Structures are given as C-alpha cells and as structure tokens.
Amino acid sequence: MSHHHGPGAHDEHGHPHLIDPEPWGTGDPAVEEIVRGEPAARVQVPAGVSPRLYNEDLAPTTRKGRTWHAYSIFTLWANDVHSLGNYVFAIGLFALGLGAWQIMLAFLLGAVLLFLLLNLSGFMGERTGVPFPVMSRIAFGIRGSNIPAIIRGAVAVAWFGIQTYLASVVLRVLILALAPSLAPLDTDSFLGLSTLGWISFVSLWAVQTVIVSFGMEMIRKYEAFAGPIILATMLTLAVWMLVEAGGTIAWSTADSLTGPVMWVRILQSAALWVVVYGTFVLNFCDFTRGAPSRRSVVRGNFFGIPINMLFFAAIVVVLAGAQYKIDGTVIESPTDVVNAIPNTLLLVLACLALIILTVAVNLMANFVAPIYTLAHLFPRTLNFRRAAVISAVIGLVILPWNLYNSPVVIVYFLGGLGALLGPLFGVIMADYWLVRKGRVNIPDLYSDSPHGAYAYTRGVNRKAVIAGTPAAIVALVLALVPAFTYISGFSWFVGAILAAVTYLLIMDRHTPFEAVDGEHIAVAPKH
C-alpha cells in the first residue's frame, strides 16, 4: 500500500508526509526524550476552541513525537489475540466438530477481513490524531458523538471487570500452589467471592489502575514487554503438550462435521472472530493516533493479525488435538493445561504469564475506551488519570464475577450492546471514507459554533441516528432472538452494512468538504 496516496497522505499545503524512517523502532532518542521529558503545564485552550469539547487528552496529537510504531501495534495484537477468552472460543470450535484445517481456514478468513477493517479504522486515527469519541463527532455531531462513546465505554467497562476477575482466578491457583496453607481463605463468601478471591481481584485491579494512570505511553511499554512473553509461553505450552502426546495429535474429533454444515460452521466461526473484535475495530484510532505513519499501522497490523492469528490457530490445534489424543477429552482453555502441569515451578511461571497476558489485554481492549468516554463527557473536570480511576471504580462496584456467572447478563446485556457496535461502525466508516473521502476539518471538531462543520442540528447529526437505529434493531433481533441462533454470528455485519447503506442513501454527498489540519491545536503525545 503506497504511503503517498489517498486521504491524509498530504498536509494542507499539498506536501506529502514523510514516510516513517524506522517503523519497527520504538522511537529515535529525540522522540524518547520528548516522551520522557517533564510533564508540560496544563495546556491552555486555543482560540476558537470550546473548553466543553477540548482538553489535553482529547486534543489531536502532533505529528512529532508519536511513538506507536509498527512494533507497538504488533505487540498490541500479540497480546490481544492470545487472550484466554479467545482460546476458550477457538478450542470450542474443536469441540463443535471442526478439525485442524477447518479451524485454520476459519481464522485465516477472519484475519484477512479484520486486517482490512483495522487498516481502514487505523488510518483515521493516524490521519487526524484524535481519539474515538472525538472521531465520532465527524458523523454524529459534537453532541451526538456521546451516543457511540457511551455504548463503547459501557461494553468495555463491564469486560474490564470480567477480565480482571478471570485473571484473579488464575492468581488464586498460583497463590494456592505456592501456599497451600491458605486454602481455608478460599472457602468463605462475601458478595460472591471468597476472601482469597477478593485479595486476588483487588490486587490485580490496583496494579492495572496504577499502570493506566501513567497514560498511553505506559500502556505501550507494558504491551511491548508482555507480547514476547505471551508468544513464548503459548509456544512452550504447545510443545509440552505435543511431547506429552507422543509427538502426534488428533486432527479432528470423532464427530467431525462434513459437507455444507461444515462450511456454514467455518464461515460462522470466521464471522464471530470479527465480532469478537467489533469493539476494537471501532476505537482502534485511540491507539493509531499515536502512530507516525500509515506504514507503521499496516506493518503492525500485518504481523499482528494474519501472521499472529495463524500462529494462534496452530497453537489451538496442537493444544486441543494433543489433549484429545491423550485421553479423548476436549480442553476448554489453556488454564486447563496449566492446572495439569505437575511441576510447581513451571505451574507458577505459566500462571504468571497468563496473568501478565490478561492484564495486557484488559488495559488496551477494556480500559482505554471508558477513560476517553468519561474525558469526553466531562472534559473540563476529568483528565486521563481521573477518568482512569473512575472507570476502575465502576469496574469494581458492578461486582463483575456475578455478571460473568449470569448467562442472561452475558447474552442479553453484553450481547445486545455488542450488536449495536456494528451499526455504529457502519455509519462512522461510510461517513469518513465514502461521504467525506477522508476530508476532515479537525479544528471544527472542537468548535461549538452553530456554523461549525459538525454542529448539525443542535450538535446532533439526525441522519446518523436515523441510519443507525433501524440497523441496530435488526442487529439486536438477530443477536438475541433464539429463532435466529443459526445466523446470530452475522448480526454485526448485517448491522454495519445496513447502517452504512442507509446512511449513504440519506446523506448529501455533493457538499464540498474541507480538509483542515489540526496541528495548531494539537498537543505533543505525552500519552
């Protein structure tokens, strides 16, 4: 993909942006110095910008000083793809009757589609330098943008709590392996958790809150540290299982699918794999706003999505196939493999790796979105750190283990909110790429003037709401009504396509759109 073509490849004077000279680097010394330098004094709100729409964390990032190079984006995916939830989902396909090559094919199809969608979404962040809630103002208006921001933030904050709980379960296993005498602490119950459960949960919750309070740069560094650990751990687990199984694996279960049913299941699995990332596809710009070039986005995504996902699928096939060959059972998750490790030292190391992994996944997938949502709702009072603490407290007080243990909540609340993300994605992508063709007036995203480009009707683009609502209803019906179980996996796509097509039909595409750079109101990317 050429860096010099397409929207956003040139500045407002028509000069092409420089290609990132070292996309795999983590930043040259000068950049590192900027990032590590003393925190700047509170940025004054520039002229022509409303303090109700602008603060240091919502402002566009300057081109200089961006540190999310290809390696940073790759490690984002190295962690996220290998999350425990994804392993549970993928190993479940083996139990549903898909064999090794069918699982690999399903993931390859899903990965190619995700690679394309994430590049479209990522380029928007690299081009404008703004976070997701601000990006939503382009299509939904300066006030209407709260709709997608709140939906995305609500999904994320619930999953933040749930993922922290899942990591705390692994920590409990670790504590009991090291100190069996603490077992009595695991027998009582207060609000649904044992004393040891509370200790484990609150410890991990506090660690994540501290990491996030240091901003996006600390998250980038944590991801870069965790990525290689996760890849090495999963590879080691797979090799260990392969040796245990005598060097060969079962390529499919006794009741493997064939014919049309098999192909439908492969396509369903590929679609569901994209849906798992429906949240991330939406707010990927929260990360790529720190990317120095399109090239870093494409390279990071290429190694992080198709290549890494095939590696993930191979690990899944080996773990599930080896266990099936050993005793004819299908494991549910890598934690089953870890629990079966006879050597205490190896058990401890594997548990630590799984905890490091879950924290890495949680920070980027579930913590960043609600922080930006809260900063967007209350820009005059909340900065990144305060919003992080509030998000963390919400993730704790909802008692997420009770949510996780209630199928009704998981299916209806989180499934329902997840179905709404497709129509939001459809409207935002259609607006940016097809209606405006990438031409954005960045300063007007922060203007509450009634003549601003994104003022619409009292700050809300009704056409975006009109296009998104019927699509959302259809997506909800497909996702939640039992009669549509067979096609429920496609609800995200149906919602996204329906919303995009409706939006294109009702929007005026002949208005001349102006591209205006935001450098003069941008701040150095300290996060």
Side-chain angles (χ1 to χ4, degrees):
M1 182 166 298
S2 169
H3 182 74
H4 288 295
H5 299 292
H10 297 73
D11 64 21
E12 77 263 57
H13 306 298
H15 304 307
H17 291 311
L18 293 176
I19 290 184
D20 171 22
E22 191 205 352
W24 279 100
T26 50
D28 57 65
V31 168
E32 290 292 327
E33 207 175 334
I34 293 166
V35 174
R36 294 208 189 98
E38 287 303 305
R42 291 281 325 151
V43 170
Q44 293 299 309
V45 175
V49 160
S50 165
R52 286 188 298 178
L53 299 170
Y54 180 99
N55 68 18
E56 216 174 350
D57 302 300
L58 298 176
T61 51
T62 53
R63 284 260 152 210
K64 190 177 179 187
R66 293 187 180 184
T67 52
W68 285 80
H69 292 259
Y71 178 75
S72 300
I73 291 170
F74 162 71
T75 52
L76 203 67
W77 302 126
N79 293 309
D80 198 60
V81 169
H82 293 269
S83 77
L84 293 180
N86 285 353
Y87 273 104
V88 172
F89 166 70
I91 292 170
L93 300 180
F94 195 78
L96 290 172
L98 288 186
W101 72 265
Q102 291 106 321
I103 290 176
M104 297 289 276
L105 178 61
F107 282 106
L108 181 62
L109 291 173
V112 169
L113 200 51
L114 265 177
F115 175 66
L116 297 172
L117 293 175
L118 284 163
N119 282 340
L120 284 177
S121 183
F123 290 165
M124 290 162 63
E126 181 272 332
R127 157 81 180 80
T128 59
V130 302
F132 172 67
V134 177
M135 186 73 73
S136 305
R137 293 174 187 172
I138 302 170
F140 283 86
I142 54 172
R143 301 270 175 276
S145 55
N146 286 324
I147 302 168
I150 288 169
I151 291 171
R152 175 66 188 100
V155 174
V157 89
W159 280 114
F160 163 71
I162 289 169
Q163 287 273 13
T164 303
Y165 163 66
L166 292 177
S168 76
V169 173
V170 180
L171 182 55
R172 249 169 42 207
V173 171
L174 175 61
I175 291 169
L176 290 173
L178 291 173
S181 59
L182 295 177
L185 290 178
D186 208 21
T187 52
D188 56 347
S189 178
F190 173 67
L191 295 177
L193 271 192
S194 66
T195 304
L196 190 60
W198 273 102
I199 293 168
S200 304
F201 182 88
V202 172
S203 308
L204 288 174
W205 176 85
V207 165
Q208 294 175 93
T209 308
V210 169
I211 293 171
V212 165
S213 71
F214 285 99
M216 291 295 281
E217 184 62 12
M218 183 60 87
I219 293 176
R220 184 183 74 78
K221 287 177 175 167
Y222 184 85
E223 301 296 329
F225 148 77
I229 293 176
I230 299 324
L231 298 177
T233 303
M234 290 306 177
L235 185 60
T236 308
L237 273 183
V239 170
W240 181 69
M241 284 294 283
L242 194 58
V243 171
E244 289 286 300
T248 60
I249 61 167
W251 289 96
S252 60
T253 57
D255 50 352
S256 53
L257 300 173
T258 52
V261 180
M262 174 193 79
W263 286 105
V264 169
R265 184 56 54 79
I266 288 172
L267 291 173
Q268 267 184 334
S269 306
L272 277 169
W273 193 227
V274 177
V275 173
V276 165
Y277 285 89
T279 50
F280 224 130
V281 167
L282 203 55
N283 73 308
F284 189 35
C285 57
D286 285 343
F287 302 90
T288 58
R289 66 192 292 244
S293 68
R294 281 187 167 199
R295 190 174 167 208
S296 24
V297 175
V298 173
R299 289 188 68 176
N301 281 345
F302 177 72
F303 289 102
I305 300 293
I307 304 294
N308 181 35
M309 280 187 178
L310 285 178
F311 174 70
F312 166 83
I315 301 272
V316 165
V317 165
V318 171
L319 289 180
Q323 185 68 50
Y324 193 78
K325 179 167 183 281
I326 292 167
D327 60 7
T329 61
V330 178
I331 58 167
E332 288 184 0
S333 146
T335 44
D336 294 357
V337 175
V338 170
N339 289 340
I341 295 174
N343 179 315
T344 307
L345 175 65
L346 291 178
L347 174 72
V348 168
L349 291 175
C351 283
L352 279 173
L354 291 184
I355 291 164
I356 289 169
L357 162 68
T358 308
V359 168
V361 172
N362 226 5
L363 290 176
M364 62 188 190
N366 303 317
F367 215 159
V368 171
I371 291 171
Y372 278 129
T373 297
L374 287 168
H376 187 254
L377 289 170
F378 308 103
R380 285 187 279 199
T381 49
L382 293 184
N383 60 13
F384 196 91
R385 182 170 288 185
R386 286 182 198 145
V389 172
I390 293 170
S391 301
V393 169
I394 295 169
L396 173 66
V397 299
I398 57 174
L399 304 180
W401 47 90
N402 293 334
L403 294 185
Y404 183 71
N405 294 324
S406 160
V408 173
V409 171
I410 292 286
V411 171
Y412 288 102
F413 175 64
L414 293 172
L417 282 175
L420 298 177
L421 299 173
L424 291 176
F425 181 76
V427 168
I428 290 168
M429 289 291 145
D431 181 81
Y432 183 90
W433 289 109
L434 302 175
V435 175
R436 296 172 196 280
K437 301 191 169 49
R439 292 191 294 271
V440 178
N441 183 334
I442 295 172
D444 268 17
L445 289 170
Y446 302 93
S447 163
D448 56 7
S449 156
H451 308 295
Y454 312 104
Y456 296 110
T457 310
R458 289 197 288 280
V460 179
N461 180 8
R462 291 177 181 173
K463 289 182 176 175
V465 178
I466 290 166
T469 305
I473 292 167
V474 171
L476 280 172
V477 169
L478 289 181
L480 304 180
V481 175
F484 296 105
T485 304
Y486 211 56
I487 53 167
S488 63
F490 300 102
S491 62
W492 188 91
F493 291 96
V494 173
I497 293 166
L498 205 54
V501 170
T502 311
Y503 189 75
L504 289 174
L505 290 174
I506 61 177
M507 266 307 266
D508 175 10
R509 282 187 279 165
H510 304 295
T511 311
F513 294 106
E514 199 183 2
V516 182
D517 199 290
E519 279 290 314
H520 68 286
I521 60 164
V523 297
K526 68 183 177 68
H527 286 324

